[in-house]
Structure formats: C-alpha cells, structure tokens
Amino acid sequence: MYDQGDLKNAARLFWVLELYGIKNIAILNGGIDAWSEHYPLTKKITTAQPSQYFPVLNPSVYASTTVAKVAAYSDLYQLYDSRTLAEFMGERSATKKFGHIPTAKNIQNSVFFNTTTEGTKILKSPKQLESIFATLDKSRKSVTYCNKGRASTLTYFLMKQAGFKVSHYDGSWLDWSEKGLPIEK
C-alpha cells in the first residue's frame, strides 16, 4: 500500500486489512512521491484477480472502548495518544472535551519521519525508529489512539514492526470523549 507520503492512509488500510485477517501486506515507505523520485510510474490499468478470500476478524488488533478503559487503569497496558501535543495537553480539541485518556503517553507521528533534500517525508531508518521505541515499555500490551482512528494506525503499524503487542482503539478520542469517560490534562 502507499499514499501521498505521510502514511496515515496506508497505515489505516494496513490495520483494516489486518483486522479482516489479511496477513501478507506491506507499506511503501515515503508513499508515491518517494517511489516516483526513483522509478517510473505507469498509467496501465490493473484488474483485481478473483480469490477465495473469506474474511475472518482478527480481534488481537482491535481495542474496543472497554479495552481502552481497562488499559487506562491496568499495569498490563500502555496507551499511546498520536494527537498533537496541544490536543494531548488539553489546549485544543476536535471535540468539546479537552485532554487525554488517563495514563496515556503522547507520541506524535512527526517523530517517525525524516525529510529528504527533495522535501519528501520518509520514515526514519530502522535504527532511528529503534531508538524511539527503546524508551517505551515492550512488556505491556500497547493500545494506540488519536482523534478519529486514522493517524494512530501509523503508530500501531510501526509498533507492530518493532515487536510490540499492540492493538488500535478505532473509536479513539471522538468515541472516548462522546461517552463522557474520564479525562486527564
């Protein structure tokens, strides 16, 4: 999968496909822009081939509101909020509620990228990503969230690649704040 380069849409599709039991999937680092810098693009129309695929939900990648509630108060879990620092701190919000889910840690998507000399965002090297994730607790189950459940799928994808036991709270902040659940600032 690929997108325009910030990988939010590609990561979202990655998570959805994993949720529906697809296993052999990958994301093109840097998106279509990085690819087109080095390889020619085609306008050739491709046709999907028939398959015998039968969807089987993979519950291990999905965190419900109940799982998010448990994660907020259990030492077995760690929540990761992929919203901006201003949203996490309660200075701005996409909803009428300001703050974050209790005990969550903020990890913004921008920390995962370098910018090429051409101005294209590209994921940091595995070694650079490893140093980011080295500060996080791999022994706990991780749950990612953001505002709508799109941006945090990149955090989900990268944590999964780094060997974390991770799931994604698809309802994210919109669901949490709409239900009037506890909030920290």
Side-chain angles (χ1 to χ4, degrees):
M1 290 154 287
Y2 61 87
D3 58 21
Q4 292 302 318
D6 68 2
L7 303 183
K8 288 178 190 173
N9 291 321
R12 175 71 180 177
L13 182 57
F14 179 93
W15 177 77
V16 168
L17 291 174
E18 270 205 333
L19 179 64
Y20 284 95
I22 305 288
K23 292 182 180 9
N24 191 15
I25 48 181
I27 293 177
L28 179 64
N29 187 6
I32 192 71
D33 294 336
W35 183 267
S36 65
E37 287 175 15
H38 305 288
Y39 303 100
L41 299 177
T42 182
K43 293 183 180 182
K44 181 181 170 187
I45 297 173
T46 58
T47 306
Q49 300 299 312
S51 79
Q52 300 299 315
Y53 167 72
F54 184 80
V56 177
L57 286 180
N58 176 2
S60 70
V61 304
Y62 177 77
S64 65
T65 305
T66 301
V67 170
K69 283 188 223 177
V70 170
Y73 299 103
S74 172
D75 289 338
L76 300 175
Y77 288 86
Q78 180 60 63
L79 285 158
Y80 293 100
D81 183 327
S82 297
R83 297 175 305 147
T84 66
L85 185 58
E87 289 170 316
F88 179 79
M89 299 297 292
E91 297 163 3
R92 289 187 313 152
S93 184
T95 70
K96 294 178 183 177
K97 304 287 175 94
F98 292 77
H100 58 269
I101 298 174
T103 72
K105 295 184 186 302
N106 185 245
I107 185 163
Q108 298 171 57
N109 285 350
S110 59
V111 302
F112 301 132
F113 290 94
N114 288 323
T115 304
T116 67
T117 54
E118 294 84 12
T120 304
K121 281 181 160 183
I122 192 154
L123 283 175
K124 290 183 174 179
S125 71
K127 190 170 188 156
Q128 290 171 313
L129 290 171
E130 186 179 305
S131 70
I132 292 168
F133 291 124
T135 64
L136 309 181
D137 190 350
K138 237 183 197 177
S139 69
R140 298 163 79 180
K141 294 177 186 175
S142 299
V143 176
T144 64
Y145 77 94
C146 56
N147 276 317
K148 298 180 191 175
R150 186 172 68 100
S152 54
T153 55
L154 179 59
T155 307
Y156 164 86
F157 169 75
L158 293 173
M159 291 182 86
K160 183 158 187 107
Q161 299 301 308
F164 284 79
K165 295 171 280 190
V166 61
S167 59
H168 173 64
Y169 176 26
D170 193 37
S172 284
W173 183 248
L174 292 178
D175 180 63
W176 186 270
S177 63
E178 179 182 285
K179 291 181 176 170
L181 296 169
I183 294 170
E184 281 184 355
K185 288 186 183 179

